[in-house]
Amino acid sequence: MDRNRSRSPVTSSHRHYSPSRREAGNWRKNNFDGEHLGAANHHQYQSSATPEQSPRRSQTLSTRREVYERDFPLYKQPVEVGSFSLDSQRRFFNDSRQLRYYVEPGRNPNFDLRDGYRERYVRRDENVKEKLDHILRWILANRSKLKSKLAANASCPLDFDFVTWRGHLTKLLTTPYETKEGWLLAVTRFKGTLYISEVETEAARRERENRPERNKEMMYWGYKFEQYMCADNADGEPDPGGVVNTNEAFCTVVQTRLTDHRLLFSGEVDCRDRDPDAPAPPACYVELKTSAEICAPKQRSNFHRFKLLKWWAQSFLPGVPKVVAGFRDHDGIVVSVETFQISKISQLIKNEHNCWKPTVCMNFCCDFLSFVKREATADNPSVVYLFSWEPHKDVTYSVHRDSQYSFLPDWYIKEMTSSPE
């Protein structure tokens, strides 16, 4: 278990990585060389100078909100470069067979989200950690169209700085405002591209293994709402009497750029607009959510401050334009459905005192990626940089070689090392 290396190294210097001003992006207007690892100091690189002769590089990244209060960074409109499906047994398919179609509900939905929980529910095994495997399979299946424009050889096979899941980026966007849950992100540099994969924290594992029955049922409610709202084909109707199987998924793969960071990431998509004249993906996609009905001003404030932050971050990143939310009572009955345009959420929250700011979220994410680029320099799939964060603290990291944190599979390394056909 790699016990010789600390999870959160503390250096003698606590200088923070200095963020720089970023250019404001056009899309915002519309959418609101490996180095040797040191044996003694695993989180620091050795150079020809001794530590006494050369000041140490900053080893932490601040998460204080005021540090990121500057112009909105350039974020190019995301472009879908592909998609894939996972079937009822979690098998990968390089197609859109699991894509579903959004069906507008009636004015009084009255959906019972408890229906089928005991008898028509197949849960994905949360003990199985898939890491980046599905994205990596998609990359291999689509390698020809992702071939780097920078080099004809295999030294830099991908034209991206980062490959990851959308959910990992969402966690980064919300970090400056998160007060309860920390995270661990494993990073490996391989052939010039940085791969980011989440590691379950001990706190998250304990929460998952000791989840109250009520919480388990409420997790089902979100999937059940999707069943009431989606059809399997453009001309079909929802089938709420069917089985809810959380192994099944349709995922978009998008490319974009955050300042100078070229990103390739994937995220699950609930459904798409079934209008044949709807815009091309990802602008035709719809995110579905459930939330407790709002009965008091304090509830509305909390909804704006906490829930809308995560909804906005999750959909803004891949360019999904709207969230359709089902508001439910205590017993799991949907009493109303409301649509939230992602481009208008910043207007909804502007009157909330001390509320979250999209610019802080995006600037922190941008600076974290710069921090990772600067520190994760060893181009070696057996070397993992483990970035760690707990609320109210700075981001720190440790370095691990041939450890439990390694996540790039041999089949991917082998295929990406061979010459493309």
Side-chain angles (χ1 to χ4, degrees), residues 27 31-32 72 75-80 164-174 252-258 263-267 282 309-321 342 358 361-362 365-366 369:
W27 192 48
N31 287 277
F32 185 124
F72 199 94
Y75 188 61
K76 297 203 70 169
Q77 184 152 2
V79 175
E80 182 176 81
T164 191
W165 283 108
R166 180 264 313 272
H168 302 353
L169 296 175
T170 300
K171 286 200 171 185
L172 291 174
L173 261 65
T174 60
T252 181
V253 183
V254 301
Q255 68 174 33
T256 184
R257 184 159 59 87
L258 175 57
L263 309 177
L264 180 75
F265 60 87
S266 179
L309 166 59
K310 295 188 176 180
W311 291 5
W312 171 83
Q314 184 181 22
S315 292
F316 178 79
L317 280 165
V320 174
I342 297 302
C361 300
M362 292 298 286
C365 181
C366 182
L369 297 179

Side-chain angles (χ1 to χ4, degrees), residues 87-90 116-128 208 211-220 223 243-248:
D87 72 0
S88 60
Q89 297 175 49
R90 209 64 181 170
Y117 176 64
R118 302 292 178 191
E119 64 277 5
R120 301 193 310 277
Y121 182 26
V122 178
R123 310 179 208 201
R124 182 170 73 85
D125 186 354
E126 293 182 284
N127 290 307
V128 177
R208 174 172 58 82
R211 194 174 288 149
E213 182 60 31
R214 167 80 175 178
N215 291 23
K216 293 179 182 177
E217 183 173 353
M218 289 174 69
M219 290 177 66
Y220 169 81
Y223 295 108
V243 173
V244 170
N245 187 327
T246 60
N247 288 292
E248 298 173 350

Side-chain angles (χ1 to χ4, degrees), residues 132-146:
L132 297 186
D133 286 8
H134 297 310
I135 305 173
L136 303 182
R137 288 189 179 94
W138 182 89
I139 289 174
L140 294 184
N142 297 273
R143 191 177 173 191
S144 59
K145 66 181 180 182
L146 293 175

Side-chain angles (χ1 to χ4, degrees), residues 174-400:
T174 60
T175 291
Y177 299 97
E178 178 59 51
T179 60
K180 296 179 181 178
E181 299 175 359
W183 46 252
L184 289 171
L185 293 174
V187 177
T188 284
R189 184 186 288 269
F190 174 56
K191 289 192 171 291
T193 296
L194 291 151
Y195 296 80
I196 303 177
S197 181
E198 186 175 17
V199 175
E200 186 176 40
T201 64
E202 282 301 306
R205 182 190 61 78
R206 287 194 300 270
E207 188 279 329
R208 174 172 58 82
E209 293 178 350
N210 298 288
R211 194 174 288 149
E213 182 60 31
R214 167 80 175 178
N215 291 23
K216 293 179 182 177
E217 183 173 353
M218 289 174 69
M219 290 177 66
Y220 169 81
W221 291 358
Y223 295 108
K224 185 64 182 181
F225 180 65
E226 294 173 16
Q227 192 181 58
Y228 278 111
M229 301 288 284
C230 299
D232 289 338
N233 54 71
D235 300 319
E237 292 298 323
D239 176 21
V243 173
V244 170
N245 187 327
T246 60
N247 288 292
E248 298 173 350
F250 168 77
C251 296
T252 181
V253 183
V254 301
Q255 68 174 33
T256 184
R257 184 159 59 87
L258 175 57
T259 64
D260 58 345
H261 306 305
R262 297 164 300 165
L263 309 177
L264 180 75
F265 60 87
S266 179
E268 189 171 346
V269 172
D270 293 329
C271 55
R272 63 155 290 157
D273 190 329
R274 61 176 175 175
D275 184 342
D277 296 324
C284 63
Y285 292 146
V286 179
E287 181 69 27
L288 301 176
K289 296 291 187 184
T290 60
S291 189
E293 63 178 327
I294 298 171
C295 304
K298 180 63 175 176
Q299 286 177 302
R300 181 165 298 279
S301 177
N302 286 339
F303 174 75
H304 285 166
R305 293 166 60 84
F306 304 112
K307 192 146 283 190
L308 279 187
L309 166 59
K310 295 188 176 180
W311 291 5
W312 171 83
Q314 184 181 22
S315 292
F316 178 79
L317 280 165
V320 174
K322 65 182 179 182
V323 173
V324 176
F327 289 92
R328 48 149 187 90
D329 64 18
H330 181 78
D331 296 321
I333 305 298
V334 174
V335 296
S336 65
V337 174
E338 187 174 346
T339 298
F340 295 87
Q341 299 294 333
I342 297 302
S343 62
K344 297 179 180 177
I345 284 181
S346 59
Q347 288 296 108
L348 272 179
I349 65 168
K350 69 177 184 178
N351 293 325
E352 289 288 343
H353 176 66
N354 200 29
C355 200
W356 59 274
K357 297 178 181 179
T359 184
V360 170
C361 300
M362 292 298 286
N363 280 320
F364 172 76
C365 181
C366 182
D367 284 8
F368 174 82
L369 297 179
S370 296
F371 183 59
V372 169
K373 266 187 186 176
R374 171 180 286 192
E375 303 300 327
T377 54
D379 199 309
N380 185 339
S382 68
V383 175
V384 170
Y385 296 78
L386 189 64
F387 289 83
S388 174
W389 176 75
E390 289 296 330
H392 314 297
K393 295 184 179 179
D394 291 346
V395 177
T396 60
Y397 75 93
S398 53
V399 184
H400 307 260

